[in-house]
Amino acid sequence: MPGTKLRFGAFIAPFHPIDENPTLALHRDMELVEWMDKLGYEEAWIGEHHSGAYELIASPELFIAAAAERTKHIRLGTGVSSLPYHHPLMLADRINQLDHMTRGRVMFGVGPGALVSDAFMMGIPAAKQRDRMDEALDALVKLLNGEVVTEKTEWYELSNARLQMTPFSRPSVEIAVASQVSPTGARAAGKHGASLLSLGATSTAGFNALASNWAIAEEQAAQYGKTMDRSGWRLVGPMHIAETREQARADVRFGLEKWAYYFSEIANLPVIPVGDGDPIDRMIDSGMAVIGTPDDAAARIQQLLDESGGFGAFLFMAHNWADFATTKKSYELFARYVAPRFQGLNENRVASMDWVRTNKAEFTGQMQAAVGARIVQHMVEKGSENIRPELVQMITGQAPPAKD
């Protein structure tokens, strides 16, 4: 029996340097999702950000609505909706509408908001973002399950609130909670039996926290009478692959420095390990990123599987390190040569080839006997005038009769 298929996709914040046309950048994000759909990727998650200039998408719902009309199979998620920024009823209604419009292809990723500058502009204290996420998530789960909710908090009120439409997906759209190193996301996922989005899973801290965060989620789920499903666990990390390691390193010099600048100087998240020498070496050596070949990517995913105990999907952190044509080639190489290893796509092909090779002598003998019999029959009936001697020798092992 075929085993479980690991799913693959991308977590598209996105990251676009400020020296390029933002309109074209947004269209390129859409083209990437269309390309992934053609290549057979299963998921694309779209971010929500409002400051910092790099992460341009303000409304993942708008993007998903457009992407759904341009794709056929790929599932589309908010990656993530920042819950403190939205009234729960309004957000639930938009997600529920998308669930119907996409015929169940939408996923609802949630978090407290990654950029403090976003919250600052809305007068939301950073210290309250996680508390407000927890409050909103409680209400959102009920609303998306079709329940009626009445409650009042310091920042929103619901009075006999309910969604007009019964959810398309049953019991509701899939909900996934973002988690990094702290246990906040894991606890929230466990409380509601939701999926888990492990951002930064390949960083040193994120990698070391994988098993512990899953254990926290399972412990919390048991406390609330829920269960956690590893197939709903997504791990996120950056990769760029090419035919050779040298080519991959050359590719990423196009945009890696600008990406690193944004994280260290603007977002205040220094993702590249500190040290001397080439930052590409530091990223590779720490395991934070794969910049190499399909074999390198496969080895890293296997390492993540071993450390975590198993998960359902690996998502590329979309980064624009390389130019767009080379980026698309990286996604194609992964789909062609890495994904099949973790999806069992070639297991039956390998077994079939091995079986035919093992029995080649027998099959060849049967073929020669069958064809030879027809040649002999023809010679008996019509003579050997039009039969090439070397063909008779090859098939029957005997020379044709001499001509008179």
Side-chain angles (χ1 to χ4, degrees):
M1 292 291 291
T4 302
K5 289 176 63 176
L6 189 63
R7 304 184 308 280
F8 296 100
F11 193 87
I12 304 171
F15 300 111
H16 293 298
I18 61 172
D19 59 354
E20 64 174 292
N21 186 321
T23 306
L24 296 180
L26 289 171
H27 282 277
R28 194 166 68 246
D29 292 331
M30 186 68 67
E31 186 177 342
L32 177 60
V33 174
E34 294 178 74
W35 181 238
M36 293 172 62
D37 186 55
K38 292 177 181 178
L39 291 173
Y41 284 89
E42 287 87 358
E43 300 180 0
W45 297 75
I46 314 301
E48 175 193 354
H49 303 89
H50 305 279
S51 61
Y54 257 60
E55 301 173 76
L56 294 179
I57 296 174
S59 172
E61 300 98 332
L62 281 176
F63 189 99
I64 289 171
E69 294 300 307
R70 292 164 169 80
T71 57
K72 295 180 179 179
H73 310 291
I74 195 167
R75 299 183 70 203
L76 303 162
T78 61
V80 296
S81 295
S82 300
L83 299 192
Y85 306 167
H86 307 277
H87 190 285
L89 179 61
M90 296 296 98
L91 184 55
D93 237 349
R94 294 198 298 271
I95 296 299
N96 195 44
Q97 178 178 328
L98 276 178
D99 191 29
H100 283 266
M101 290 173 62
T102 63
R103 296 292 197 272
R105 281 200 285 149
V106 73
M107 303 169 290
F108 185 31
V110 303
L115 299 177
V116 175
S117 49
D118 288 356
F120 179 86
M121 291 193 298
M122 289 176 271
I124 301 172
K128 293 188 176 183
Q129 283 181 256
R130 282 151 188 80
D131 292 338
R132 291 188 178 186
M133 184 198 80
D134 291 337
E135 291 173 338
L137 184 57
D138 288 344
L140 282 160
V141 168
K142 295 173 184 176
L143 289 167
L144 289 169
N145 277 322
E147 300 178 32
V148 179
V149 182
T150 297
E151 64 182 39
K152 185 175 183 178
T153 71
E154 67 169 352
W155 65 286
Y156 71 80
E157 182 174 353
L158 293 166
S159 181
N160 291 317
R162 67 191 306 164
L163 301 183
Q164 296 184 96
M165 293 189 293
T166 303
F168 182 89
S169 300
R170 305 298 171 87
S172 83
V173 64
E174 181 183 3
I175 299 173
V177 184
S179 173
Q180 295 202 51
V181 178
S182 79
T184 302
R187 288 175 60 88
K191 178 180 179 181
H192 297 286
S195 299
L196 189 63
L197 268 168
S198 290
L199 310 180
T202 56
S203 67
T204 300
F207 179 78
N208 293 337
L210 288 177
S212 60
N213 272 348
W214 186 256
I216 290 170
E218 288 190 314
E219 180 182 8
Q220 196 79 348
Q223 179 180 336
Y224 284 90
K226 306 290 184 179
T227 57
M228 294 296 295
D229 183 356
R230 285 184 179 269
S231 69
W233 189 10
R234 281 93 170 172
L235 271 58
V236 181
M239 290 188 177
H240 177 83
I241 61 174
E243 288 86 350
T244 66
R245 291 178 176 176
E246 293 75 19
Q247 185 61 54
R249 294 171 69 98
D251 291 345
V252 302
R253 298 204 184 276
F254 172 85
L256 178 59
E257 184 177 348
K258 296 176 183 178
W259 180 85
Y261 173 82
Y262 170 71
F263 272 101
S264 62
E265 302 298 329
I266 308 302
N268 294 313
L269 294 169
V271 293
I272 297 181
V274 177
D276 298 325
D278 193 331
I280 294 178
D281 289 330
R282 298 201 301 273
M283 294 176 70
I284 294 173
D285 294 342
S286 69
M288 187 266 172
V290 171
I291 302 171
T293 66
D295 286 341
D296 294 326
R300 184 56 171 151
I301 290 171
Q302 186 60 57
Q303 188 180 23
L304 291 169
L305 285 167
D306 294 340
E307 172 65 20
S308 66
F311 52 89
F314 179 82
L315 309 176
F316 303 131
M317 177 188 287
H319 43 60
N320 291 300
W321 290 345
D323 66 54
F324 191 50
T326 309
T327 296
K328 290 176 66 178
K329 182 65 177 295
S330 176
Y331 277 79
E332 181 183 358
L333 288 172
F334 189 97
R336 292 177 65 187
Y337 300 115
V338 182
R341 306 188 197 188
F342 298 95
Q343 297 180 330
L345 298 183
N346 287 322
E347 289 178 359
N348 281 10
R349 296 178 69 197
V350 170
S352 180
M353 178 178 281
D354 289 344
W355 176 69
V356 173
R357 182 176 61 246
T358 300
N359 294 280
K360 181 180 179 181
E362 178 183 350
F363 297 148
T364 301
Q366 292 181 13
M367 181 271 294
Q368 289 177 337
V371 175
R374 283 304 181 99
I375 291 175
V376 171
Q377 179 182 352
H378 177 82
M379 289 191 298
V380 169
E381 294 176 356
K382 302 292 184 179
S384 60
E385 181 178 356
N386 295 317
I387 302 296
R388 296 177 60 183
E390 61 270 23
L391 181 61
V392 175
Q393 180 68 36
M394 179 182 69
I395 298 299
T396 66
Q398 61 185 14
K403 298 180 180 179
D404 294 335

